[in-house]
Amino acid sequence: MKQRLTPTIILLAAACNLAAQTIISGAVTDGKEPLAGANIFIMGTIEGCLTDSLGAFSFTTSKSGGATLKATYIGYDDYTLTADVEQMHHLTLRMSERATAIDEVVVTASTFSFGKSENFKTMDALDVVMAGNSCGDIVAALQTLPGTQKVGEDGKLYVRGGESTECQTFVNGMHVLVPYTTQTENSPSRGRFSPFLFKGINFSLGGYSGEYGQALSAVLPMETTDMATSDKCGVSASLVDWNVGGTKAYSHSSLSFNAAMTSMALYDRLFSQRLDFTRPYRKLSGEAQYKREFSTKGVVKSYVGYDLTSVGLHTDGRDLSLKEHNIYANITHKMAVGRGYSLFTGVANSSVFSDIDGAQVPGDHYHNFRNEVHLKAELRKVCSEVLKVSAGMEDYVRHSTLTYEDTGYHLGYNILAAHADAQWRVFPRLFLNMSARAEMMRTDWLLMPRMTLTYIPSSHLQFSLVAGRYSQTASDDCLAKSRDALGQSTADHGILSMQYTTKGTLLRIEPYWKRYHRLPLMENGIYQPHGDGTSRGVDVFFENHSLVRNLTTTLSYSYNDSERLHLDYTVRRMPDYASRHNLTLTAKYGIGKTIIGLSGSFASGRHFPTGTTPHYNSLDVNVTYLLHPKVIVYTSLNNILGRTNIFRFDGNGCPVTASRDRFFYIGIFVSLKNNKAYDISNF
């Protein structure tokens, strides 16, 4: 009897279990397309499934009566439905894309971010050091980007038809008065800062917010690395420079240093060049940083840097001798002050002493001292997921003294500024940034509104419209010869930006327009604010990581049409530093422990009253080899074809060329106390 009852009981139990199972089914969509891979489940249970390629789902549940069905999908708001399980069949679940919180928005218009993980990573510190045409210089590496002009005789940044002085550098939000080292005329300067010093570099070619002032064309804000958690030490050596640096980490702070010696003496002996140097170019520099984190979420960063540069040259029948001391220091403090507010305060000091013997005639002496104190305070608050605001004040206190034989000048003035900035998510995909900056120099006030409207239709695409007014004080030499007639020059920016990104590709296209007002213009022996100018063009940047494995290629193209009436110009014309077409192509390929880089640069001719230069062309190559996990060997050769590029024509119509057609570099970078090669200056 038992043998007959057992199968019957099993069948009855199975039938009861099947009767208790309910099928839940439907489809998930965003209103336009089905969402494949969405997670659907009954809350409080492990019953659920993923949607198929058509967005459909179907699973059974043992629950009865009321229950809550939940759907989750990356990038979308969670969807919940509470109802009787018997009614949960043939459902259509429509999910809404999650709106980006205002603090998560990254607007890329006219800005290239390096060393940042949240944006497309185009360059890090090692890329700067080992780019084929940079030789470790941040400024030279940035000149591979669209919007920059190739001005080989001084090596500085010229952006979208603007002079080099129109691009200003900031370290941790604080202004740097002179970011370049001194050099003789027609010899390229270098940037003063090591790329390993910074965790992030944001190069903005225009349209920046109200936080930044005193820059007509571009800003280069750089953020130093955070507090170190381990000790570091490293050395490097090459034909032209030698470095040693390190970091000592403590529980809540770190202290770092870097010392460098640059000398062209050995290189000048090994390789011939055109100029007659009486004393080779030398630079002795040192940097130190102290960083401390407090339990109250406050962070203090301090930085001090010094360099002494000297060089001598026999030219035009005189012995030209240059010497410059450049000292820069800043200290900043960030802290939370409660109720969602954060406070930033900072102070920076720049002092530059320049001495030139044989400046114009044998035996003369030129001395120039420049000093700037920059004070800044800013209050920031993320009000909600749709609104972020900030407001701040700053003061630039400047002094300049020049003596040359029996002439010279002494200047002292300050620029007081205030700004307010609001970022607002108007709609889930539409973002508006409104800012205003006010500046006062002497008794002249300027009000400069700025606006950026950004539409982000998908994670791959971004459109931006940028407009605003920007200002900058004229150079000290112009101010001294103006009889207080000069105020601040202004420039109006208009930029339309389109950026498309995928996992391995970045494409950006940016038409732009600039209008200059109140530029210094020489009239009857003094400078008057009667100059003006325009600059318009389009920049194209393309980067790809997916054509061939381990191959990275970039294309940078700029078209610029600009004209000016300023300084000693007698007619409105294209500035002599501007070239209409600029093109750079780069490729970097990794083979095992070796990386091979190739870079080609082209620029159309520049126009001078005495003639138009031929086009500029240079092909550069570099090889990087990981000799050991802690040792990198790097070598590069610039202008491998040996083309003699003419940078400009002097007043007599004579061509001005580089001191040598090719430049060869080889260096060894060693990390002594870390597992990462060349950690020498990675503070």
Side-chain angles (χ1 to χ4, degrees), residues 199-226:
K199 69 174 182 180
I201 301 173
N202 292 292
F203 183 36
S204 178
L205 291 86
Y208 27 96
S209 68
E211 178 184 358
Y212 297 109
Q214 291 302 296
L216 280 178
S217 287
V219 293
L220 179 61
M222 302 188 289
E223 184 76 16
T224 58
T225 55
D226 295 325

PDB file of all heavy atoms in Angstrom, residues 199-226:
ATOM      1  N   LYS A 199      49.094  66.435 -11.389  1.00  0.00           N
ATOM      2  CA  LYS A 199      48.166  65.329 -11.592  1.00  0.00           C
ATOM      3  C   LYS A 199      47.155  65.658 -12.685  1.00  0.00           C
ATOM      4  O   LYS A 199      46.516  64.760 -13.232  1.00  0.00           O
ATOM      5  CB  LYS A 199      47.424  65.017 -10.293  1.00  0.00           C
ATOM      6  CG  LYS A 199      46.423  66.087  -9.847  1.00  0.00           C
ATOM      7  CD  LYS A 199      45.636  65.646  -8.636  1.00  0.00           C
ATOM      8  CE  LYS A 199      44.609  66.701  -8.231  1.00  0.00           C
ATOM      9  NZ  LYS A 199      43.834  66.283  -7.041  1.00  0.00           N
ATOM     10  N   GLY A 200      46.998  66.934 -12.985  1.00  0.00           N
ATOM     11  CA  GLY A 200      46.038  67.323 -14.006  1.00  0.00           C
ATOM     12  C   GLY A 200      46.434  68.614 -14.680  1.00  0.00           C
ATOM     13  O   GLY A 200      46.900  69.555 -14.044  1.00  0.00           O
ATOM     14  N   ILE A 201      46.291  68.663 -16.011  1.00  0.00           N
ATOM     15  CA  ILE A 201      46.557  69.862 -16.795  1.00  0.00           C
ATOM     16  C   ILE A 201      45.334  70.109 -17.661  1.00  0.00           C
ATOM     17  O   ILE A 201      44.927  69.244 -18.428  1.00  0.00           O
ATOM     18  CB  ILE A 201      47.804  69.691 -17.685  1.00  0.00           C
ATOM     19  CG1 ILE A 201      49.039  69.380 -16.830  1.00  0.00           C
ATOM     20  CG2 ILE A 201      48.051  70.943 -18.516  1.00  0.00           C
ATOM     21  CD1 ILE A 201      50.273  69.026 -17.635  1.00  0.00           C
ATOM     22  N   ASN A 202      44.714  71.282 -17.521  1.00  0.00           N
ATOM     23  CA  ASN A 202      43.542  71.633 -18.318  1.00  0.00           C
ATOM     24  C   ASN A 202      43.885  72.828 -19.193  1.00  0.00           C
ATOM     25  O   ASN A 202      43.935  73.959 -18.713  1.00  0.00           O
ATOM     26  CB  ASN A 202      42.353  71.969 -17.416  1.00  0.00           C
ATOM     27  CG  ASN A 202      41.831  70.756 -16.679  1.00  0.00           C
ATOM     28  OD1 ASN A 202      41.281  69.851 -17.279  1.00  0.00           O
ATOM     29  ND2 ASN A 202      42.014  70.738 -15.374  1.00  0.00           N
ATOM     30  N   PHE A 203      44.148  72.565 -20.456  1.00  0.00           N
ATOM     31  CA  PHE A 203      44.531  73.619 -21.390  1.00  0.00           C
ATOM     32  C   PHE A 203      43.277  74.122 -22.093  1.00  0.00           C
ATOM     33  O   PHE A 203      42.674  73.410 -22.895  1.00  0.00           O
ATOM     34  CB  PHE A 203      45.540  73.064 -22.394  1.00  0.00           C
ATOM     35  CG  PHE A 203      46.057  74.093 -23.366  1.00  0.00           C
ATOM     36  CD1 PHE A 203      46.285  75.400 -22.975  1.00  0.00           C
ATOM     37  CD2 PHE A 203      46.339  73.741 -24.678  1.00  0.00           C
ATOM     38  CE1 PHE A 203      46.771  76.333 -23.860  1.00  0.00           C
ATOM     39  CE2 PHE A 203      46.828  74.661 -25.572  1.00  0.00           C
ATOM     40  CZ  PHE A 203      47.040  75.967 -25.165  1.00  0.00           C
ATOM     41  N   SER A 204      42.869  75.356 -21.767  1.00  0.00           N
ATOM     42  CA  SER A 204      41.659  75.930 -22.342  1.00  0.00           C
ATOM     43  C   SER A 204      42.035  76.957 -23.397  1.00  0.00           C
ATOM     44  O   SER A 204      42.722  77.944 -23.100  1.00  0.00           O
ATOM     45  CB  SER A 204      40.806  76.583 -21.250  1.00  0.00           C
ATOM     46  OG  SER A 204      39.663  77.186 -21.813  1.00  0.00           O
ATOM     47  N   LEU A 205      41.585  76.741 -24.631  1.00  0.00           N
ATOM     48  CA  LEU A 205      41.911  77.617 -25.737  1.00  0.00           C
ATOM     49  C   LEU A 205      40.935  78.781 -25.887  1.00  0.00           C
ATOM     50  O   LEU A 205      41.008  79.544 -26.842  1.00  0.00           O
ATOM     51  CB  LEU A 205      41.944  76.832 -27.053  1.00  0.00           C
ATOM     52  CG  LEU A 205      43.085  75.839 -27.214  1.00  0.00           C
ATOM     53  CD1 LEU A 205      42.726  74.491 -26.597  1.00  0.00           C
ATOM     54  CD2 LEU A 205      43.449  75.642 -28.673  1.00  0.00           C
ATOM     55  N   GLY A 206      40.013  78.933 -24.932  1.00  0.00           N
ATOM     56  CA  GLY A 206      39.053  80.027 -24.972  1.00  0.00           C
ATOM     57  C   GLY A 206      37.764  79.642 -24.275  1.00  0.00           C
ATOM     58  O   GLY A 206      37.489  78.470 -24.025  1.00  0.00           O
ATOM     59  N   GLY A 207      36.958  80.639 -23.918  1.00  0.00           N
ATOM     60  CA  GLY A 207      35.661  80.376 -23.326  1.00  0.00           C
ATOM     61  C   GLY A 207      35.705  79.893 -21.893  1.00  0.00           C
ATOM     62  O   GLY A 207      34.791  79.208 -21.452  1.00  0.00           O
ATOM     63  N   TYR A 208      36.726  80.249 -21.112  1.00  0.00           N
ATOM     64  CA  TYR A 208      36.848  79.788 -19.739  1.00  0.00           C
ATOM     65  C   TYR A 208      35.913  80.591 -18.831  1.00  0.00           C
ATOM     66  O   TYR A 208      35.424  81.670 -19.177  1.00  0.00           O
ATOM     67  CB  TYR A 208      38.300  79.886 -19.258  1.00  0.00           C
ATOM     68  CG  TYR A 208      39.103  80.944 -19.964  1.00  0.00           C
ATOM     69  CD1 TYR A 208      39.272  82.211 -19.435  1.00  0.00           C
ATOM     70  CD2 TYR A 208      39.670  80.671 -21.210  1.00  0.00           C
ATOM     71  CE1 TYR A 208      39.986  83.178 -20.091  1.00  0.00           C
ATOM     72  CE2 TYR A 208      40.386  81.638 -21.883  1.00  0.00           C
ATOM     73  CZ  TYR A 208      40.538  82.897 -21.319  1.00  0.00           C
ATOM     74  OH  TYR A 208      41.233  83.860 -21.981  1.00  0.00           O
ATOM     75  N   SER A 209      35.703  80.073 -17.614  1.00  0.00           N
ATOM     76  CA  SER A 209      34.721  80.650 -16.707  1.00  0.00           C
ATOM     77  C   SER A 209      35.248  81.928 -16.062  1.00  0.00           C
ATOM     78  O   SER A 209      36.403  82.324 -16.243  1.00  0.00           O
ATOM     79  CB  SER A 209      34.360  79.645 -15.617  1.00  0.00           C
ATOM     80  OG  SER A 209      35.462  79.433 -14.748  1.00  0.00           O
ATOM     81  N   GLY A 210      34.400  82.550 -15.237  1.00  0.00           N
ATOM     82  CA  GLY A 210      34.746  83.809 -14.599  1.00  0.00           C
ATOM     83  C   GLY A 210      35.834  83.698 -13.568  1.00  0.00           C
ATOM     84  O   GLY A 210      36.355  84.726 -13.100  1.00  0.00           O
ATOM     85  N   GLU A 211      36.208  82.482 -13.165  1.00  0.00           N
ATOM     86  CA  GLU A 211      37.267  82.319 -12.174  1.00  0.00           C
ATOM     87  C   GLU A 211      38.600  82.837 -12.682  1.00  0.00           C
ATOM     88  O   GLU A 211      39.429  83.321 -11.897  1.00  0.00           O
ATOM     89  CB  GLU A 211      37.402  80.846 -11.796  1.00  0.00           C
ATOM     90  CG  GLU A 211      38.521  80.567 -10.804  1.00  0.00           C
ATOM     91  CD  GLU A 211      38.710  79.092 -10.501  1.00  0.00           C
ATOM     92  OE1 GLU A 211      37.939  78.263 -11.045  1.00  0.00           O
ATOM     93  OE2 GLU A 211      39.628  78.772  -9.731  1.00  0.00           O
ATOM     94  N   TYR A 212      38.836  82.762 -13.995  1.00  0.00           N
ATOM     95  CA  TYR A 212      40.138  83.110 -14.553  1.00  0.00           C
ATOM     96  C   TYR A 212      40.084  84.460 -15.248  1.00  0.00           C
ATOM     97  O   TYR A 212      39.208  84.717 -16.081  1.00  0.00           O
ATOM     98  CB  TYR A 212      40.611  82.041 -15.527  1.00  0.00           C
ATOM     99  CG  TYR A 212      40.813  80.702 -14.868  1.00  0.00           C
ATOM    100  CD1 TYR A 212      39.944  79.644 -15.109  1.00  0.00           C
ATOM    101  CD2 TYR A 212      41.857  80.509 -13.971  1.00  0.00           C
ATOM    102  CE1 TYR A 212      40.125  78.424 -14.490  1.00  0.00           C
ATOM    103  CE2 TYR A 212      42.042  79.293 -13.349  1.00  0.00           C
ATOM    104  CZ  TYR A 212      41.171  78.256 -13.610  1.00  0.00           C
ATOM    105  OH  TYR A 212      41.355  77.057 -12.978  1.00  0.00           O
ATOM    106  N   GLY A 213      41.055  85.306 -14.908  1.00  0.00           N
ATOM    107  CA  GLY A 213      41.144  86.618 -15.523  1.00  0.00           C
ATOM    108  C   GLY A 213      42.533  86.882 -16.045  1.00  0.00           C
ATOM    109  O   GLY A 213      43.444  86.059 -15.952  1.00  0.00           O
ATOM    110  N   GLN A 214      42.713  88.099 -16.596  1.00  0.00           N
ATOM    111  CA  GLN A 214      44.000  88.546 -17.120  1.00  0.00           C
ATOM    112  C   GLN A 214      44.541  87.622 -18.202  1.00  0.00           C
ATOM    113  O   GLN A 214      45.735  87.336 -18.258  1.00  0.00           O
ATOM    114  CB  GLN A 214      45.005  88.705 -15.986  1.00  0.00           C
ATOM    115  CG  GLN A 214      44.692  89.863 -15.054  1.00  0.00           C
ATOM    116  CD  GLN A 214      44.632  91.192 -15.797  1.00  0.00           C
ATOM    117  OE1 GLN A 214      45.620  91.658 -16.354  1.00  0.00           O
ATOM    118  NE2 GLN A 214      43.457  91.798 -15.838  1.00  0.00           N
ATOM    119  N   ALA A 215      43.645  87.140 -19.060  1.00  0.00           N
ATOM    120  CA  ALA A 215      44.041  86.259 -20.165  1.00  0.00           C
ATOM    121  C   ALA A 215      43.096  86.517 -21.332  1.00  0.00           C
ATOM    122  O   ALA A 215      41.904  86.202 -21.242  1.00  0.00           O
ATOM    123  CB  ALA A 215      43.987  84.798 -19.744  1.00  0.00           C
ATOM    124  N   LEU A 216      43.622  87.067 -22.409  1.00  0.00           N
ATOM    125  CA  LEU A 216      42.782  87.401 -23.549  1.00  0.00           C
ATOM    126  C   LEU A 216      42.441  86.194 -24.414  1.00  0.00           C
ATOM    127  O   LEU A 216      41.393  86.166 -25.053  1.00  0.00           O
ATOM    128  CB  LEU A 216      43.476  88.451 -24.427  1.00  0.00           C
ATOM    129  CG  LEU A 216      43.400  89.905 -23.965  1.00  0.00           C
ATOM    130  CD1 LEU A 216      44.166  90.796 -24.924  1.00  0.00           C
ATOM    131  CD2 LEU A 216      41.960  90.386 -23.850  1.00  0.00           C
ATOM    132  N   SER A 217      43.320  85.188 -24.461  1.00  0.00           N
ATOM    133  CA  SER A 217      43.117  84.090 -25.409  1.00  0.00           C
ATOM    134  C   SER A 217      42.974  82.724 -24.775  1.00  0.00           C
ATOM    135  O   SER A 217      42.151  81.921 -25.221  1.00  0.00           O
ATOM    136  CB  SER A 217      44.281  84.036 -26.418  1.00  0.00           C
ATOM    137  OG  SER A 217      44.206  85.080 -27.345  1.00  0.00           O
ATOM    138  N   ALA A 218      43.788  82.392 -23.753  1.00  0.00           N
ATOM    139  CA  ALA A 218      43.823  81.016 -23.262  1.00  0.00           C
ATOM    140  C   ALA A 218      44.329  80.991 -21.828  1.00  0.00           C
ATOM    141  O   ALA A 218      45.010  81.918 -21.373  1.00  0.00           O
ATOM    142  CB  ALA A 218      44.722  80.148 -24.151  1.00  0.00           C
ATOM    143  N   VAL A 219      43.996  79.914 -21.118  1.00  0.00           N
ATOM    144  CA  VAL A 219      44.539  79.693 -19.776  1.00  0.00           C
ATOM    145  C   VAL A 219      45.052  78.265 -19.680  1.00  0.00           C
ATOM    146  O   VAL A 219      44.530  77.346 -20.313  1.00  0.00           O
ATOM    147  CB  VAL A 219      43.496  79.954 -18.661  1.00  0.00           C
ATOM    148  CG1 VAL A 219      43.117  81.411 -18.604  1.00  0.00           C
ATOM    149  CG2 VAL A 219      42.261  79.080 -18.836  1.00  0.00           C
ATOM    150  N   LEU A 220      46.101  78.104 -18.857  1.00  0.00           N
ATOM    151  CA  LEU A 220      46.711  76.799 -18.629  1.00  0.00           C
ATOM    152  C   LEU A 220      46.702  76.531 -17.121  1.00  0.00           C
ATOM    153  O   LEU A 220      47.691  76.775 -16.435  1.00  0.00           O
ATOM    154  CB  LEU A 220      48.132  76.771 -19.184  1.00  0.00           C
ATOM    155  CG  LEU A 220      48.928  75.476 -19.019  1.00  0.00           C
ATOM    156  CD1 LEU A 220      48.236  74.314 -19.726  1.00  0.00           C
ATOM    157  CD2 LEU A 220      50.356  75.648 -19.550  1.00  0.00           C
ATOM    158  N   PRO A 221      45.570  76.046 -16.573  1.00  0.00           N
ATOM    159  CA  PRO A 221      45.524  75.735 -15.145  1.00  0.00           C
ATOM    160  C   PRO A 221      46.095  74.339 -14.897  1.00  0.00           C
ATOM    161  O   PRO A 221      45.734  73.375 -15.568  1.00  0.00           O
ATOM    162  CB  PRO A 221      44.021  75.776 -14.812  1.00  0.00           C
ATOM    163  CG  PRO A 221      43.328  76.248 -16.052  1.00  0.00           C
ATOM    164  CD  PRO A 221      44.252  75.926 -17.187  1.00  0.00           C
ATOM    165  N   MET A 222      47.014  74.242 -13.915  1.00  0.00           N
ATOM    166  CA  MET A 222      47.657  72.979 -13.595  1.00  0.00           C
ATOM    167  C   MET A 222      47.512  72.715 -12.098  1.00  0.00           C
ATOM    168  O   MET A 222      47.714  73.605 -11.279  1.00  0.00           O
ATOM    169  CB  MET A 222      49.128  73.014 -14.003  1.00  0.00           C
ATOM    170  CG  MET A 222      49.326  73.307 -15.491  1.00  0.00           C
ATOM    171  SD  MET A 222      51.036  73.131 -16.064  1.00  0.00           S
ATOM    172  CE  MET A 222      51.797  74.553 -15.290  1.00  0.00           C
ATOM    173  N   GLU A 223      47.146  71.483 -11.765  1.00  0.00           N
ATOM    174  CA  GLU A 223      46.911  71.083 -10.379  1.00  0.00           C
ATOM    175  C   GLU A 223      48.000  70.106  -9.949  1.00  0.00           C
ATOM    176  O   GLU A 223      48.213  69.080 -10.595  1.00  0.00           O
ATOM    177  CB  GLU A 223      45.540  70.423 -10.242  1.00  0.00           C
ATOM    178  CG  GLU A 223      45.149  70.062  -8.825  1.00  0.00           C
ATOM    179  CD  GLU A 223      44.725  71.256  -8.006  1.00  0.00           C
ATOM    180  OE1 GLU A 223      44.445  72.324  -8.597  1.00  0.00           O
ATOM    181  OE2 GLU A 223      44.673  71.131  -6.764  1.00  0.00           O
ATOM    182  N   THR A 224      48.710  70.436  -8.869  1.00  0.00           N
ATOM    183  CA  THR A 224      49.771  69.557  -8.397  1.00  0.00           C
ATOM    184  C   THR A 224      49.193  68.280  -7.812  1.00  0.00           C
ATOM    185  O   THR A 224      48.022  68.204  -7.450  1.00  0.00           O
ATOM    186  CB  THR A 224      50.643  70.266  -7.344  1.00  0.00           C
ATOM    187  OG1 THR A 224      49.818  70.694  -6.261  1.00  0.00           O
ATOM    188  CG2 THR A 224      51.358  71.445  -7.945  1.00  0.00           C
ATOM    189  N   THR A 225      50.029  67.270  -7.700  1.00  0.00           N
ATOM    190  CA  THR A 225      49.592  65.970  -7.205  1.00  0.00           C
ATOM    191  C   THR A 225      49.175  66.054  -5.742  1.00  0.00           C
ATOM    192  O   THR A 225      49.532  66.982  -5.017  1.00  0.00           O
ATOM    193  CB  THR A 225      50.720  64.933  -7.339  1.00  0.00           C
ATOM    194  OG1 THR A 225      51.880  65.428  -6.675  1.00  0.00           O
ATOM    195  CG2 THR A 225      51.037  64.679  -8.799  1.00  0.00           C
ATOM    196  N   ASP A 226      48.390  65.057  -5.308  1.00  0.00           N
ATOM    197  CA  ASP A 226      47.922  65.018  -3.930  1.00  0.00           C
ATOM    198  C   ASP A 226      49.012  64.517  -3.002  1.00  0.00           C
ATOM    199  O   ASP A 226      50.116  64.160  -3.434  1.00  0.00           O
ATOM    200  CB  ASP A 226      46.690  64.110  -3.828  1.00  0.00           C
ATOM    201  CG  ASP A 226      45.509  64.664  -4.609  1.00  0.00           C
ATOM    202  OD1 ASP A 226      45.365  65.905  -4.651  1.00  0.00           O
ATOM    203  OD2 ASP A 226      44.755  63.860  -5.184  1.00  0.00           O
TER     204      ASP A 226
END
